[in-house]
Amino acid sequence: MRSTTFARWRRPVALLLGLGLLGPLAVTSAATSAVGATSEASTTVYYPARSGWATTNVHYAATGGAWTTVPGVAMAPACAGWLSRTIPLGTATGAQLTFNNGSGTWDNNGGRNYTVGSGIVVVKDGAVTTGTSPCATTPDPEPTPEPTPTETPTSSATLYYSTTWTAPKIHFNTTTAAWTTAPGKSMEAACTGWFRFTVDLGSASGGKVVFNNGSGTWDNNGGKDYAYGPGVSTVKNGALTANATDPCPPVVPEVPDTTAPSVPSGLAVTGAGIGLTASWTASTDDKAVAGYTVTRTGGAGTVTRDVTGTSATDSNLLENTAYSYSVTAFDAAGNRSAASATVSRTTGVKPTTPPATKGEPLGGDPREDSIYFVMTARFNDGDATNNRGGSMDVKSGNAANDDPMFRGDFEGIVDKLDYIKGLGFSAIWITPVVLNRSDYDFHGYHGWDFYRVDPRLESEGASYQDLIDAAHAKGIKIYQDVVYNHSSRWGAEGLFTPTVYGARDAQWSWYYDEPVAGKEYNPLEEDADGSTYNGDLWSSTQPAGQNCAGWGVPVGYSAEGFRTYSCQWPNATSGMFPSNLYHPCWIGNWEGKDAQDCWIHEDLADFNTENEQVQDYLIGAYNKYIDMGVDGFRIDTAVHIPRVTWNRVFLPAIQEHAVATHGEKGKDFYVFGEVAQFVHDKWNRGSVNHSAPFYTWDERKEYSLDDVVAAAEQFQYENLMGPANQPTSTNATLVGNTYHAPDHSKASGMNIIDMRMHMNFDDASNAFWSGKDSDDVTNDATYNAVYVDSHDYGPGKSQTRFAGGTDAWAENMSLMWTFRGIPTLYYGSEIEFQAGKKIDCGPTCPLATTGRAYYGDHLAGTVVASDFGVVSSATGAVATTLQQPLVKHVQRLNQIRRAVPALQKGQYSTEGVSGGIAYKKRFTEGSVDSFVLVAVSGSATFSGIPNGTYVDAVTGDRKVVTGGSLAVSVSGKGNMRAYVLELPGNPAPGKVGEAGPYLK
């Protein structure tokens, strides 16, 4: 195992070089070479003794050979002021050298290393001379070479594997040795996207190898395994390349930066009340200014903090107190300017805060609305001061000054409510609003403090409450995206936050903040490097009761090359989270019980939702937003919580609090869940517990009073019952031409996103027939939220936004707006925004290149809506946006749908209907009786219908039926007809809106 051991110890060189912590070029990936015999060449190196260096090491590699293990070999005194070392060259003619003091200080010839030949060489003041020893009065004797190892060199294979897995395993054999024990051995991070492992081959010529993520997912080359031989091999995208170039080449350190930035000038301090803002003129630097340190004195004492911009704001200071400020500038190398002149200012008195108020929902049947889905942070930027890049801004290409991840905000939505209303939408689904804390959290699904609104979304005069109130003033509902299944990897403030290992050593001091008593995480307060305070998370001493094993033990390297330690990052199986509050496992089978009981991803710490303490925490948090007057919840990852837990705990809590707080309007609180059924068929690979319609039903059996036991009992019982024995419903379908009162007595209270239609929306006809096929096992499909694509996937679980073309979009919209369910449109689809672009690539590419790109550039200007679907005036870019063909199409569809109750809430039938996408619909309640015949993209014939006069809402055409049959002629993809029956007290609306590019 000699070569394997050597490979393990030589890895730090290349990785640390990337940090500028080691001087020389990194070692090669080949196994160590045997030192030559005494007859082989050598070089004797002389190097001056340096003041302050207690030890001097020479770190070297013979030309074409491997480097010594860091820090190299010690040099010995040769004569006064000089040290020497004889280096064996073997068959090489020279070597590369660097020198160090064993404590991180290097002489590597400015990053170029020293190149020498054989014989006597002298290295001094960055220059190499040859031939004469500085210690010799007579010629030096023949140098004594290093002893030759007696062992026979063995060959090795270094395997590099490219993967997005965080901790891959390698499972292998050799031609002379059996397979390792499954799942194999852990690989080490080599560089971004690559992991490495060196196999000691001994006398073997190679072997077979496969890889896995340690949780049951394998890459075994399609069942063929990968065959490897000696030397460097790479495996990427299912292909092994032998004798490959090292994908993680050494990084040559830059020449040190020793020049400090200029002194900040023009410091001024302004403010009112108990808040002060210091601002100054930017400094200059020969490379770049990395940030500024602001020092404030006065009040409770001296406070310093780092910022990246040229201003810093302090709030909640003491009243009537003098404070003084000074500023220094620093660069990335740590060079710091002198302090600026000191400027002082005295605070005033604390302003009076008005009492908190509660909002009120709009109420009304949610089926009367259409929904516009907005990713708040990516929609429209109303306030640039709350923009933040996030901790992954550089890696992802979303630097704070270019396209920050947190860019849009509530003020941006408020500013464009008339745009949304002008499109005709009367409800907005917004992404989660709770305070997030993770590496890539702009989307809102990494909740940390569920009781606080993320300040990166709010502004003065545009709080979350302000958004709710402003939307309601325009007749627009707010549906809040909520997460019950998980928190961020950092836990949930007020429930449990894990403490992890952290040491402010040479590599990590930039990342670990010193703990400050009473200081809290605030994403609006950034350090010089753009990070936020995290001193509340780290400890170099293991906390009492912490179960993570091997606290602080080195375990490998990060993708950036930093030395990592056990217990440094929270994860499911480390024991950092108490199992009564969080589940301690990863999902292995997505159609198994573990899909309800384990973590989805490392950034999504899975709540133990069957625990009463967790339940109370989440119920209390979301009651707050019900109090604020939101009109409904879109429930994220609903399938990952047992249905019995929803039915027993969370859904009753939502319904009871909404009614208790808002009375009759609370009864209309709309709940629709994401039950991610990413298959084209009716049931999710036969598992009813993982199928969307299943969650619309109440339990039909009594289970244990223990929620954990009940969840297991329900899962087993329903899976044994299987698809054939699930309840059925006619709530969405007519009986002949007659509407019947729906039976909701067995409904759970959760409605669903129509995953079946979503998966089949590659073609409107497929979506139509697929939706019909699932409606009999859904409690009431007229409440389904229906969309083509979203912030996660396109049809067929495509990872790109829908790109079927404008005509296909028009046809999909015509179906969604007239079939059953609530039409839902992802922001920008009205202009085919980012069509065909990958929806989400995580922190590996700029958001501007994805389906989550910033939309506000298309909304610049002014817009005024006089009614839903009606724009009275618009200027600038938004005026151009409003002229796009799909905008015109969706505006008119919204107008027509709002005019015909049967299109909003009606039951449907295809009995007696011939044609492609065609159906009849009726809604009857009180004095309302609405009956309509719909044909989309093609002609249709309706037989067995009531006689009378029918008026088309698209063209105004009137047809009198006397024989119970009506033939409808329509052509053009996306065009449609909607013939409404004139009934006593229920006149047809006639032609609604004006002819457009598709409805004509």
Side-chain angles (χ1 to χ4, degrees):
M1 298 296 292
R2 181 175 61 84
S3 60
T4 302
T5 301
F6 180 80
R8 181 171 67 250
W9 285 107
R10 63 188 170 85
R11 287 193 182 98
V13 183
L15 294 162
L16 295 176
L17 274 172
L19 309 176
L21 299 178
L22 296 187
L25 292 173
V27 299
T28 65
S29 59
T32 183
S33 302
V35 179
T38 56
S39 60
E40 295 176 322
S42 65
T43 184
T44 298
V45 180
Y46 288 86
Y47 188 77
R50 298 183 60 169
S51 176
W53 284 26
T55 301
T56 299
N57 302 305
V58 58
H59 182 45
Y60 64 88
T63 304
W67 285 83
T68 54
T69 303
V70 173
V73 295
M75 302 186 74
C79 59
W82 287 94
L83 308 170
S84 69
R85 181 74 188 196
T86 298
I87 296 172
L89 298 179
T91 59
T93 59
Q96 290 193 69
L97 311 175
T98 63
F99 304 88
N100 65 86
N101 68 350
S103 301
T105 301
W106 288 79
D107 172 6
N108 62 1
N109 194 21
R112 299 183 297 275
N113 304 335
Y114 294 99
T115 300
V116 302
S118 60
I120 296 174
V121 297
V122 179
V123 180
K124 182 180 180 182
D125 298 329
V128 177
T129 57
T130 61
T132 302
S133 166
C135 297
T137 55
T138 58
D140 279 20
E142 184 71 11
T144 302
E146 294 282 309
T148 303
T150 57
E151 56 185 312
T152 302
T154 58
S155 68
S156 66
T158 299
L159 296 161
Y160 286 87
Y161 184 54
S162 175
T163 181
T164 58
W165 294 337
T166 57
K169 303 281 189 180
I170 181 171
H171 183 44
F172 61 90
N173 69 7
T174 71
T175 55
T176 60
W179 285 88
T180 54
T181 302
K185 298 181 179 295
S186 296
M187 303 188 75
E188 289 188 309
C191 57
T192 302
W194 288 94
F195 290 82
R196 175 175 52 198
F197 189 86
T198 299
V199 178
D200 183 6
L201 293 177
S203 60
S205 60
K208 296 291 186 68
V209 63
V210 296
F211 306 89
N212 66 88
N213 68 348
S215 300
T217 301
W218 289 79
D219 174 4
N220 61 1
N221 193 21
K224 300 187 292 294
D225 303 336
Y226 296 99
Y228 71 93
V232 175
S233 296
T234 59
V235 180
K236 183 177 182 180
N237 297 330
L240 183 145
T241 302
N243 299 316
T245 301
D246 190 331
C248 301
V251 179
V252 178
E254 296 182 0
V255 176
D257 176 9
T258 59
T259 303
S262 64
V263 178
S265 60
L267 176 63
V269 181
T270 58
I274 57 172
L276 295 175
T277 297
S279 59
W280 55 90
T281 302
S283 297
T284 58
D285 188 63
D286 61 330
K287 294 189 180 295
V289 175
Y292 301 87
T293 298
V294 181
T295 300
R296 185 192 77 216
T297 59
T302 300
V303 176
T304 62
R305 63 187 175 104
D306 292 341
V307 298
T308 55
T310 56
S311 66
T313 299
D314 291 322
S315 56
N316 296 319
L317 299 173
L318 297 176
E319 294 181 314
N320 301 315
T321 302
Y323 290 92
S324 298
Y325 288 81
S326 64
V327 185
T328 61
F330 57 88
D331 58 24
N335 301 304
R336 184 175 295 276
S337 73
S340 69
T342 299
V343 176
S344 300
R345 188 177 179 92
T346 301
T347 57
V349 297
K350 184 176 182 179
T352 301
T353 302
T357 59
K358 289 185 178 180
E360 184 178 344
L362 288 178
D365 194 318
R367 296 173 298 177
E368 297 173 2
D369 303 299
S370 56
I371 303 171
Y372 192 69
F373 172 29
V374 164
M375 292 195 79
T376 305
R378 306 304 298 161
F379 181 62
N380 185 54
D381 190 6
D383 178 8
T385 66
N386 59 14
N387 291 355
R388 290 298 183 274
S391 62
M392 288 289 183
D393 61 348
V394 175
K395 182 176 181 181
S396 64
N398 295 284
N401 294 330
D402 301 322
D403 183 22
M405 287 182 271
F406 270 91
R407 188 172 181 182
D409 45 39
F410 294 146
E411 185 172 330
I413 298 178
V414 171
D415 290 347
K416 300 305 175 184
L417 285 173
D418 270 32
Y419 171 77
I420 295 171
K421 184 172 184 175
L423 293 177
F425 292 95
S426 53
I428 306 173
W429 156 20
I430 61 173
T431 42
V433 304
V434 303
L435 177 57
N436 268 226
R437 186 169 190 173
S438 196
D439 290 335
Y440 198 66
D441 56 9
F442 70 94
H443 43 62
Y445 298 98
H446 294 162
W448 183 68
D449 190 339
F450 287 67
Y451 285 77
R452 292 170 59 195
V453 175
D454 199 306
R456 291 167 289 190
L457 302 177
E458 294 193 304
S459 308
E460 182 70 28
S463 67
Y464 187 32
Q465 188 67 66
D466 292 328
L467 168 62
I468 295 168
D469 295 345
H472 287 173
K474 291 185 179 292
I476 299 174
K477 295 178 180 178
I478 294 292
Y479 293 147
Q480 178 179 329
D481 209 322
V482 295
V483 185
Y484 285 77
N485 176 67
H486 57 262
S487 67
S488 75
R489 70 166 71 179
W490 304 118
E493 174 70 358
L495 180 69
F496 176 78
T497 298
T499 299
V500 300
Y501 174 79
R504 303 191 79 246
D505 57 20
Q507 292 184 67
W508 291 102
S509 59
W510 63 274
Y511 191 74
Y512 297 122
D513 292 325
E514 290 281 8
V516 177
K519 187 174 178 63
E520 292 184 340
Y521 165 69
N522 182 350
L524 288 182
E525 295 181 359
E526 294 184 338
D527 296 333
D529 60 4
S531 65
T532 53
Y533 173 74
N534 56 20
D536 54 336
L537 300 175
W538 319 116
S539 175
S540 57
T541 303
Q542 187 162 15
Q546 173 67 269
N547 296 322
C548 186
W551 184 270
V553 174
V555 292
Y557 294 89
S558 71
E560 297 81 11
F562 300 128
R563 196 72 166 104
T564 58
Y565 304 88
S566 177
C567 309
Q568 189 171 9
W569 305 108
N571 69 66
T573 58
S574 65
M576 291 182 177
F577 290 84
S579 59
N580 64 318
L581 302 180
Y582 284 88
H583 289 128
C585 54
W586 299 101
I587 294 177
N589 178 6
W590 290 84
E591 278 76 46
K593 183 66 171 69
D594 52 342
Q596 298 177 343
D597 297 339
C598 300
W599 290 36
I600 302 171
H601 186 270
E602 64 179 6
D603 271 337
L604 309 177
D606 196 75
F607 284 129
N608 180 358
T609 49
E610 287 65 68
N611 175 272
E612 185 175 357
Q613 185 179 350
V614 173
Q615 294 166 357
D616 290 345
Y617 176 84
L618 293 169
I619 290 170
Y622 290 127
N623 281 351
K624 167 184 174 177
Y625 303 105
I626 295 174
D627 292 343
M628 294 175 72
V630 297
D631 302 274
F633 286 160
R634 181 267 186 182
I635 297 178
D636 181 71
T637 51
V639 71
H640 297 293
I641 295 177
R643 186 182 73 177
V644 67
T645 305
W646 284 116
N647 288 340
R648 179 181 286 189
V649 181
F650 294 126
L651 292 172
I654 294 171
Q655 293 153 357
E656 290 167 9
H657 192 75
V659 173
T661 306
H662 302 297
E664 287 299 311
K665 290 183 177 180
K667 294 179 180 179
D668 295 323
F669 195 89
Y670 179 50
V671 177
F672 59 113
E674 178 205 25
V675 181
Q677 178 181 335
F678 293 123
V679 294
H680 289 278
D681 51 336
K682 191 168 186 173
W683 297 101
N684 193 343
R685 298 180 178 91
S687 175
V688 296
N689 282 282
H690 300 89
S691 301
F694 180 77
Y695 277 74
T696 65
W697 295 93
D698 203 352
E699 301 310 320
R700 48 184 174 160
K701 186 180 183 298
E702 290 293 330
Y703 301 109
S704 169
L705 295 178
D706 185 301
D707 287 341
V708 175
V709 176
E713 289 175 345
Q714 180 256 296
F715 186 91
Q716 182 179 22
Y717 174 77
E718 294 292 359
N719 259 14
L720 287 173
M721 294 296 287
N725 294 304
Q726 294 302 309
T728 58
S729 169
T730 60
N731 284 339
T733 52
L734 295 171
V735 178
N737 295 315
T738 304
Y739 179 87
H740 63 93
D743 178 9
H744 295 149
S745 62
K746 297 179 182 179
S748 66
M750 181 185 291
N751 305 289
I752 53 172
I753 293 171
D754 199 318
M755 299 302 292
R756 186 89 188 276
M757 290 190 71
H758 165 54
M759 285 295 293
N760 288 278
F761 253 123
D762 54 320
D763 177 82
S765 181
N766 289 342
F768 169 53
W769 292 104
S770 296
K772 275 172 46 68
D773 185 47
S774 291
D775 287 355
D776 65 331
V777 293
T778 304
N779 184 272
D780 192 343
T782 67
Y783 287 87
N784 287 6
V786 183
Y787 60 58
V788 173
D789 61 3
S790 73
H791 59 324
D792 288 325
Y793 294 103
K797 205 179 181 182
S798 163
Q799 295 186 351
T800 60
R801 289 190 76 158
F802 182 74
T806 311
D807 290 355
W809 253 122
E811 185 176 52
N812 288 341
M813 289 178 176
S814 293
L815 171 63
M816 286 194 292
W817 262 256
T818 59
F819 189 41
R820 55 97 188 110
I822 303 171
T824 303
L825 196 70
Y826 184 36
Y827 80 96
S829 292
E830 64 270 23
I831 63 169
E832 297 177 88
F833 181 60
Q834 299 295 90
K837 297 295 180 62
K838 191 170 184 178
I839 294 172
D840 175 31
C841 60
T844 61
C845 69
L847 285 170
T849 65
T850 72
R852 297 174 173 182
Y854 176 68
Y855 190 58
D857 294 337
H858 298 276
L859 303 177
T862 64
V863 56
V864 177
S866 55
D867 201 352
F868 290 98
V870 181
V871 173
S872 57
S873 65
T875 64
V878 71
T880 302
T881 297
L882 289 165
Q883 295 303 312
Q884 300 307 303
L886 287 179
V887 170
K888 298 295 185 184
H889 188 54
V890 77
Q891 285 177 313
R892 194 168 186 213
L893 284 171
N894 271 316
Q895 291 174 327
I896 292 172
R897 189 173 185 273
R898 293 178 67 85
V900 183
L903 294 180
Q904 302 167 11
K905 301 173 283 190
Q907 295 166 345
Y908 73 92
S909 173
T910 57
E911 180 183 355
V913 180
S914 66
I917 303 175
Y919 32 89
K920 54 187 177 181
K921 298 187 69 179
R922 191 166 203 158
F923 176 75
T924 306
E925 185 177 80
S927 61
V928 175
D929 189 6
S930 177
F931 185 76
V932 64
L933 310 175
V934 179
V936 176
S937 296
S939 300
T941 300
F942 300 85
S943 302
I945 60 174
N947 290 331
T949 300
Y950 290 79
V951 184
D952 180 23
V954 176
T955 64
D957 179 51
R958 303 174 67 88
K959 292 185 182 294
V960 178
V961 174
T962 57
S965 180
L966 176 63
V968 173
S969 177
V970 59
S971 62
K973 196 168 187 177
N975 197 5
M976 74 172 193
R977 296 292 179 262
Y979 279 90
V980 181
L981 176 62
E982 293 267 17
L983 289 168
N986 291 273
K991 180 181 178 180
V992 179
E994 300 299 323
Y998 290 98
L999 299 181
K1000 54 189 176 181

